[in-house]
Amino acid sequence: MNYKLTIIVPVFNEEENLIRVEKELAGYLQKASVPTKILLVNDGSSDNSQQLIETICNRNIDFEYISFTKNNGLSAAIKAGFDYAETELVGYIDSDLQTTPEDFNLLLQYTDEYEIVTGIRATRNDGFVKRFSSKFANSFRKAFTHDGVVDTGCPLKIIHTSYAKKIPMFKGLHRFLPAMILLQNGKIKQVPVQHFPRIAGEAKFGLSNRLIGPLLDCFAYLWMKKKYINYDIDTKS
C-alpha cells in the first residue's frame, strides 16, 4: 500500500493500554481519510509492553515497531519515529489514548495548507494539579516562543515529514514542535479535539517535570532559535 500518513505511538510501560491501543488504531485505519500505517516506538519499557507490541504487529499488517535498548524519553521516541517515517505526513498520539485517533481525520483536512496541524483539548479530563501545571507551563512557553499555540502539550498532531525530519530534537523539545516548525517558516493550524480521562496505566509526567522541565526547556529553545540554520535553495544543477 502507498501510505501517506505514519502515526507514531510512543510506548513506555503501557502493557495495560496496548490491547486498547491496537483496537482503537486498527478501527481508525478502516475509516482514515488517507492510507495510514502505525509505528509503535517502545521507549525501553520494563514491563510486558515489548511482547505485546510484537504480538500486535504480527497480527496487523499496517502496524510496525521499533524498540530502544533503554528508556530515552518521549522526545527521543518521537524523533525516532520522525527518522523512521517514509510517508509524506507523520502523526503523533500518546498510548494512553486520552485523545482519539478518529480526530486525525479532523486534522488531515488542513494538511494541504499547513505544515503542522495540532489539536487543542477543548475540554480537559484531567485533575486540577495536572491542568494547572500544564496551563502555567504553556503560558510561560508561549511568552518565550510567540508561536500562538494554545495547547502545545496536546498529544495529537500531524506534521509534514520533510519538516519533522529537520527538527533538531533534544530532551523536552516535544513541547516545542509547533515553534520549531515556525523556525522553518512553516504554518500552524490548531483544531479542537476530544479529550478523555486516562483509563489504565500511570501518567509518566508529574508536577516537577510539567513545571521545572518546561521552564528550563524554554531557555534551550531560545538558544536553538538563535543558532538555528534555515535556508531555501533557489536553483541547482
Side-chain angles (χ1 to χ4, degrees):
M1 183 180 293
N2 293 319
Y3 298 105
K4 184 173 181 178
L5 170 65
T6 299
I7 296 177
I8 301 166
V9 188
V11 177
F12 177 60
N13 292 345
E14 292 284 2
E15 62 179 342
E16 296 177 23
N17 275 316
L18 280 171
I19 298 304
R20 190 165 68 96
V21 166
E22 176 189 19
K23 179 181 178 181
E24 293 292 326
L25 286 168
Y28 170 69
L29 293 180
Q30 303 305 311
K31 60 188 76 171
S33 55
V34 300
T36 301
K37 66 192 298 185
I38 309 300
L39 176 60
L40 301 169
V41 182
N42 181 16
D43 184 20
S45 297
S46 57
D47 63 359
N48 196 42
S49 291
Q50 179 59 27
Q51 289 79 6
L52 284 171
I53 287 171
E54 291 179 18
T55 298
I56 289 168
C57 291
N58 284 336
R59 63 190 178 204
N60 292 278
I61 192 171
D62 299 315
F63 283 63
E64 297 178 347
Y65 77 86
I66 53 179
S67 182
F68 291 169
T69 57
K70 63 178 182 178
N71 177 242
N72 292 287
L74 180 57
S75 290
I78 294 173
K79 174 174 170 46
F82 290 168
D83 292 343
Y84 191 83
E86 297 178 343
T87 51
E88 176 185 341
L89 301 171
V90 61
Y92 156 56
I93 190 172
D94 276 351
S95 52
D96 60 17
L97 290 183
Q98 286 193 255
T99 52
T100 174
E102 290 187 5
D103 283 344
F104 276 119
N105 281 351
L106 298 177
L107 275 56
L108 282 164
Q109 298 177 45
Y110 302 96
T111 54
D112 287 344
E113 187 177 352
Y114 297 90
E115 283 67 42
I116 180 170
V117 187
T118 181
I120 302 173
R121 292 168 286 189
T123 302
R124 290 287 298 270
N125 281 282
D126 291 317
F128 171 78
V129 172
K130 186 175 181 179
R131 286 186 284 110
F132 171 79
S133 58
S134 295
K135 184 175 182 179
F136 178 83
N138 195 56
S139 298
F140 195 86
R141 178 202 51 77
K142 281 200 300 181
F144 271 72
T145 63
H146 304 288
D147 60 11
V149 176
V150 175
D151 186 13
T152 189
C154 179
L156 199 74
K157 294 177 172 64
I158 296 179
I159 308 174
H160 283 245
T161 306
S162 59
Y163 281 72
K165 288 182 179 292
K166 293 179 183 177
I167 297 175
M169 296 284 285
F170 56 82
K171 288 185 178 180
L173 202 63
H174 61 273
R175 303 180 183 96
F176 296 84
L177 292 177
M180 295 306 296
I181 298 301
L182 279 183
L183 290 186
Q184 301 179 51
N185 299 318
K187 298 185 295 297
I188 301 170
K189 176 67 176 179
Q190 303 177 69
V191 179
V193 297
Q194 303 172 81
H195 189 249
F196 307 92
R198 175 183 268 271
I199 294 177
E202 297 181 357
K204 306 305 185 292
F205 292 91
L207 183 60
S208 61
N209 54 16
R210 281 199 186 93
L211 288 177
I212 299 175
L215 298 184
L216 296 176
D217 292 340
C218 284
F219 294 99
Y221 168 78
L222 289 181
W223 178 89
M224 179 69 67
K225 182 178 181 180
K226 184 178 180 180
K227 301 292 185 179
Y228 188 76
I229 296 173
N230 189 40
Y231 61 87
D232 295 307
I233 295 175
D234 183 13
T235 59
K236 64 178 182 179
S237 62

